[in-house]
Amino acid sequence: MRTITWNTEGQCLSYIDQTRLPAELVTVETQSVTRLADGIRRLEVRGAPALGVAGAYGVALSCQSHQNKETGAAFRNAIETDAAFLRATRPTAVNLGWGIDRALQNALREDTPAAAYDAALREAQAIEAEDITLCHRIGAYGASLLPDTCTVLTHCNAGALACVEWGTALGVIRSAVEAGKNISVLSCETRPLNQGSRLTAFELHADGIPVKTIPDSAAAHLMRRGMIDAVVVGADRITPDAVFNKIGTYMHAICAHHHSIPFYVAAPYSTLDTGRREADVEIEERARDELASCGGRQLMPDGVGTVNPAFDATPLTLVTAIITDRGVLRHPYDELTHSDTREMT
Ligand code: MRU
């Protein structure tokens, strides 16, 4: 099953609504850029690589909806406006803008709206297909780093649901299991939206990989007790000085460092952002209601405010290795400082 794909028959984008999991497996089908933007904001579709694919398909949807209404400069302005609107939905994951740019550049090279639509759609489909290949490569590189028998802690969801299939951090775990390793997983629940308990536990359990959910706050205690052998997480953006990932990741990195446990980050090269530093990256702030209530039950007094950052930045000094589709990067992470990684082949 694919997290996100193009429905050729319906000429529309199709993706799993992740807000409904694990209770219901429901697919959203849409031709509307506004509907997709709303779905991205609500985390129906989420996770850095899946957002890259969604962004590219968003440009194709924009071309589709404008192709019979505008031509020339008016058409180009319309799709650039839609692209900017989609890009603004979630500012931290670099892949969203990267996917949008790839599809947009291909569309803008064409002479007619119909050709632009074809070009954007082709590029989005290429990004979707590439993601599957890249995740398997990440998995193969990462699997060799894990001991034959081990317990891995992961945070948030960097699995098939965050990509197209297989996953990055969970791809490493899947590939290790496929290679015959005996891996069990501790999945942090990942408050406040519970991507760990709802999504990571869902997909690993479905695959028959042993998984237990833990409260985010139990990680340090379990490391101290010797119950965690490695941490493997995904990333939303990697600058030359930091890894941006779901809020709570930094705290796991500090604890892993303290207990001499390897801390691995698994991500495709498209997540590397060598042109920015940690201080340049906007951390998305989420709404108060994500903390104020749960399942209809009030968790805070009225009138109390919140601080609800969606991501944090982990200094590279705390990262044992970055597992990419092009190999394993290690200190001093020269690849992040000495070249434009986007251009590397
Ligand atoms: O807010 P989310 O659910 O989109 O955050 C997702 C994460 O932080 C993932 O760990 C990251 O995107 C890597 S996904 C392969």
Side-chain angles (χ1 to χ4, degrees):
M1 181 182 17
R2 292 209 175 175
T3 300
I4 178 164
T5 194
W6 185 253
N7 176 340
T8 309
E9 207 177 308
Q11 290 293 293
C12 64
L13 178 61
S14 172
Y15 62 83
I16 293 172
D17 180 350
Q18 300 188 35
T19 62
R20 313 270 288 264
L21 288 170
E24 294 171 295
L25 185 55
V26 176
T27 298
V28 173
E29 307 235 300
T30 185
Q31 291 183 321
S32 158
V33 171
T34 314
R35 174 68 187 84
L36 174 61
D38 187 48
I40 292 174
R41 261 187 238 105
R42 297 184 58 242
L43 272 56
E44 286 177 351
V45 56
R46 46 140 306 276
L51 287 174
V53 179
Y57 277 124
V59 174
L61 291 179
S62 172
C63 294
Q64 186 189 52
S65 73
H66 291 289
Q67 66 176 341
N68 296 324
K69 295 187 220 146
E70 287 108 358
T71 53
F75 174 79
R76 283 195 292 279
N77 284 342
I79 62 170
E80 279 174 332
T81 303
D82 280 350
F85 172 64
L86 281 169
R87 191 190 304 272
T89 51
R90 299 204 71 194
T92 308
V94 69
N95 307 59
L96 176 62
W98 169 87
I100 290 171
D101 286 341
R102 267 183 68 169
L104 187 61
Q105 279 161 16
N106 277 272
L108 291 175
R109 270 200 285 272
E110 299 296 335
D111 292 333
T112 65
Y117 169 48
D118 283 347
L121 185 56
R122 265 198 315 274
E123 191 64 10
Q125 287 171 320
I127 294 174
E128 178 189 334
E130 277 166 28
D131 185 74
I132 297 170
T133 309
L134 299 185
C135 282
H136 281 275
R137 284 197 198 134
I138 291 169
Y141 283 120
S144 63
L145 300 176
L146 296 180
D148 286 349
T149 297
C150 66
T151 300
V152 175
L153 178 96
T154 192
H155 189 74
C156 193
N157 173 265
L161 289 163
C163 303
V164 175
E165 283 180 12
W166 208 245
T168 55
L170 299 194
V172 168
I173 289 162
R174 285 194 167 97
S175 294
V177 170
E178 206 173 63
K181 297 194 178 189
N182 186 11
I183 314 284
S184 51
V185 178
L186 294 178
S187 168
C188 292
E189 59 175 346
T190 318
R191 282 282 296 148
L193 296 182
N194 289 77
Q195 290 94 329
S197 52
R198 290 189 305 105
L199 308 177
T200 293
F202 170 80
E203 57 172 276
L204 291 180
H205 183 65
D207 276 7
I209 297 174
V211 56
K212 287 182 178 158
T213 298
I214 64 165
D216 300 328
S217 45
H221 164 73
L222 297 174
M223 287 184 193
R224 187 170 164 76
R225 291 280 160 105
M227 293 168 71
I228 294 169
D229 302 300
V231 180
V232 186
V233 295
D236 289 89
R237 187 186 293 255
I238 301 174
T239 58
D241 52 349
V243 169
F244 292 80
N245 193 49
K246 179 53 56 190
I247 191 75
T249 302
Y250 175 41
M251 138 184 119
H252 297 317
I254 292 172
C255 292
H257 185 73
H258 183 78
H259 293 96
S260 302
I261 294 169
F263 182 92
Y264 297 118
V265 174
Y269 248 70
S270 53
T271 304
L272 306 189
D273 184 6
T274 55
R276 285 188 187 76
R277 309 287 299 179
E278 178 187 340
D280 304 326
V281 177
E282 180 184 348
I283 301 230
E284 179 185 355
E285 180 71 19
R286 302 281 304 175
R288 177 186 186 278
D289 38 297
E290 289 181 356
L291 293 172
S293 64
C294 186
R297 183 163 160 246
Q298 186 173 352
L299 296 180
M300 285 169 39
D302 291 336
V304 171
T306 56
V307 179
N308 188 14
F311 302 97
D312 60 26
T314 297
L316 283 186
T317 45
L318 296 178
V319 178
T320 309
I322 302 175
I323 307 159
T324 78
D325 47 291
R326 300 185 198 172
V328 178
L329 314 184
R330 291 184 185 271
H331 290 283
Y333 294 112
D334 283 339
E335 299 84 347
L336 295 175
T337 44
H338 293 174
S339 62
D340 182 350
T341 48
R342 303 294 176 83
E343 299 305 320
M344 285 174 65
T345 53

